[in-house]
Amino acid sequence: MQLVVARIGRAHGIKGEVTVEVRTDEPELRLGPGAVLATEPAGVGPLTIETGRVHSGRLLLRFEGVRDRTAAEALRNTLLIAEVDPEELPEDPEEFYDHQLMDLDVVLADGTEIGRITEITHLPSQDLFIVERPDGSEVMIPFVEEIVTEIDLAEQRAVITPPPGLIDESQAVIASSRDEEGDGDEAPAAGKDA
């Protein structure tokens, strides 16, 4: 099975290094020196990682055969794809590969069916489950511990405890609102003597 593990960004310096947007929780395993990665577009690769280092919080990679800024810049926006055994699991039991989560049933703690995961979107701040409801509509569920309380791969389900309004908009709680006109709590107008 193939997994996208990074996207190549801008060239860095003049010796062929590139910045990468990491899309794996295991960069040391997937993006280490010697790793051979397929690419999208396929004609660019495969690419073999020669060196890697962190600079100002960003991962920089250099690939075999890429020796200058021009060659590095030509790789921009290329996806790096690792071949992963479908039976392989992440080292941390609280982490999951996308393919493990796809098609899981999403249920409330009491067993009420919400739908099934049809897509996983990776955002900078968090991941989102795109869940198809039985009526064909979709709902986005943040993949955070406070909401997704359990992933049970054996039972093929994700248990959630959504805040009011996440699943049913009619249950939404308004965090703050302005006083409505005529409720008697109006502040005195500026410039009037009390």
Side-chain angles (χ1 to χ4, degrees), residues 38-161:
T39 60
E40 179 61 45
V44 174
L47 294 172
T48 302
I49 297 174
E50 186 174 285
T51 63
R53 66 185 178 104
V54 176
H55 175 73
S56 298
R58 296 211 44 122
L59 179 61
L60 302 178
L61 296 179
R62 181 179 300 139
F63 300 100
E64 289 181 5
V66 178
R67 296 284 172 237
D68 60 30
R69 185 175 185 86
T70 303
E73 193 61 40
L75 297 173
R76 191 172 191 165
N77 292 322
T78 299
L79 296 178
L80 299 175
I81 303 166
E83 189 66 40
V84 177
D85 179 347
E87 301 301 315
E88 182 181 334
L89 299 175
E91 291 178 12
D92 184 341
E94 297 296 313
E95 293 178 359
F96 303 93
Y97 293 133
D98 287 4
H99 71 273
Q100 295 174 289
L101 302 170
M102 291 297 293
D103 293 322
L104 291 184
D105 292 325
V106 178
V107 298
L108 298 178
D110 66 6
T112 303
E113 180 185 357
I114 300 301
R116 84 182 162 79
I117 299 171
T118 58
E119 185 181 338
I120 299 163
T121 301
H122 301 280
L123 302 175
S125 59
Q126 67 190 13
D127 297 333
L128 288 175
F129 290 159
I130 308 300
V131 177
E132 184 177 316
R133 312 241 2 223
D135 65 5
S137 64
E138 290 184 336
V139 62
M140 292 184 285
I141 306 213
F143 186 23
V144 294
E145 190 175 348
E146 296 80 23
I147 296 173
V148 181
T149 58
E150 178 185 357
I151 298 290
D152 187 338
L153 295 178
E155 294 291 322
Q156 287 291 291
R157 67 183 191 152
V159 179
I160 64 169
T161 55

Side-chain angles (χ1 to χ4, degrees), residues 22-38:
V22 177
R23 295 188 181 175
T24 176
D25 291 332
E26 302 169 312
E28 62 286 341
L29 175 66
R30 307 282 178 222
L31 300 170
V36 179
L37 302 167

